[in-house]
Amino acid sequence: MLFLPVFCFFSFLHLLLKGGFADLIDVLMCWVLVLLGAGLLLLLYALRLKLAGIKVIGFIKGIMPILKENIMINSAIDAVPLNIRQCSKIFGISRSYLEDAMPVLAQINLDGNCFIIMGITMILIVSNGASLLWWNYLLLAILVFFLSIGAPNQPGSILIGVLIIIHYLKIPGMLPVAIYCEVLLGTVQNLINVVGDIVISAIDNRSIIAGSSAGSTK
């Protein structure tokens, strides 16, 4: 990971020498498509917040400074102490609840990993003109899920996952793809996981408070 920027430079250089700017445009289109898809996932988070009775705009304003700090850390697991402190301070979530829930969520919430690696996989299949039977897509989804479990919320998980997917699909000459996917989308993957952790924590905390209030009323 320390030398990843150097490898990324040579990957883009290889891309330009092999296919010219047309291939570079394809890479950028892949990046844009995955980001647009991630927007749909974020809309789902917003809907869950709305259904839980949490103001979405206020939540977005509160989470932005937390995400800025998470960009520097770039690992949901390593950022757990920071996220516990900030969520307690900004959203008023019980610190004792966060200390129990956040470390677990950082290990098991794989939204970013599964979504981005599966998105890259589908784009690779389409761009290479592959035609697979329905059960192949099911197997790919299962493979992506277990790859996400194997390297949850840590830098390099996209690199490892895409390399294994490329080997499984038997697509030659795709090592540079795995490298620049990690560079372009690694931070996005981490931020999706962090947003998911905080959304789940906020919704569960509100449910606990509502349950306590109902019990007190009775």
Side-chain angles (χ1 to χ4, degrees), residues 64-75:
M64 292 308 294
I66 302 177
L67 296 182
K68 288 179 181 177
E69 295 187 59
N70 272 269
I71 289 174
M72 302 300 296
I73 299 173
N74 202 32
S75 169

Side-chain angles (χ1 to χ4, degrees), residues 16 21 31 47 60 63-64 66 82 86 92-93 99 104 139 153 203:
L16 290 171
F21 284 100
W31 185 63
L47 178 61
I60 293 173
I63 202 173
M64 292 308 294
I66 302 177
L82 166 72
Q86 292 290 74
I93 302 175
E99 288 174 349
V104 177
L139 286 176
N153 301 331
I203 292 173

Side-chain angles (χ1 to χ4, degrees), residues 36-218:
L36 289 174
L40 295 176
L41 187 60
L42 295 177
L43 285 175
L44 178 61
Y45 286 149
L47 178 61
R48 292 178 64 185
L49 290 169
K50 186 73 175 177
L51 293 175
I54 299 172
K55 294 181 179 179
V56 176
I57 300 299
F59 183 86
I60 293 173
K61 291 179 179 178
I63 202 173
M64 292 308 294
I66 302 177
L67 296 182
K68 288 179 181 177
E69 295 187 59
N70 272 269
I71 289 174
M72 302 300 296
I73 299 173
N74 202 32
S75 169
I77 295 173
D78 294 336
V80 164
L82 166 72
N83 292 337
I84 289 174
R85 185 172 65 253
Q86 292 290 74
C87 288
S88 178
K89 177 183 175 182
I90 295 174
F91 298 115
I93 302 175
S94 167
R95 193 178 181 93
S96 60
Y97 165 78
L98 288 170
E99 288 174 349
D100 290 336
M102 193 66 77
V104 177
L105 287 171
Q107 293 280 354
I108 66 172
N109 178 26
L110 306 172
D111 288 354
N113 298 62
C114 291
F115 183 85
I116 288 181
I117 296 175
M118 193 65 192
I120 294 169
T121 300
M122 296 305 294
I123 291 170
L124 285 173
I125 291 171
V126 172
S127 62
N128 284 275
S131 179
L132 304 179
L133 297 174
W134 66 268
W135 54 267
N136 289 119
Y137 292 103
L138 180 61
L139 286 176
L140 281 170
I142 294 171
L143 178 59
V144 168
F145 175 72
F146 281 102
L147 286 173
S148 300
I149 293 175
N153 301 331
Q154 289 285 8
S157 58
I158 292 179
L159 175 63
I160 296 169
V162 173
L163 280 174
I164 294 174
I165 290 294
I166 288 170
H167 179 72
Y168 175 78
L169 293 173
K170 294 181 173 60
I171 304 175
M174 286 289 164
L175 175 60
V177 173
I179 295 173
Y180 56 66
C181 280
E182 173 64 40
V183 173
L184 292 175
L185 298 169
T187 300
V188 177
Q189 168 216 287
N190 180 64
L191 292 181
I192 291 173
N193 288 331
V194 170
V195 171
D197 295 346
I198 297 174
V199 166
I200 293 169
S201 299
I203 292 173
D204 285 352
N205 184 70
R206 189 172 184 85
S207 299
I208 292 169
I209 293 173
S212 301
S213 300
S216 301
T217 303
K218 290 179 180 178

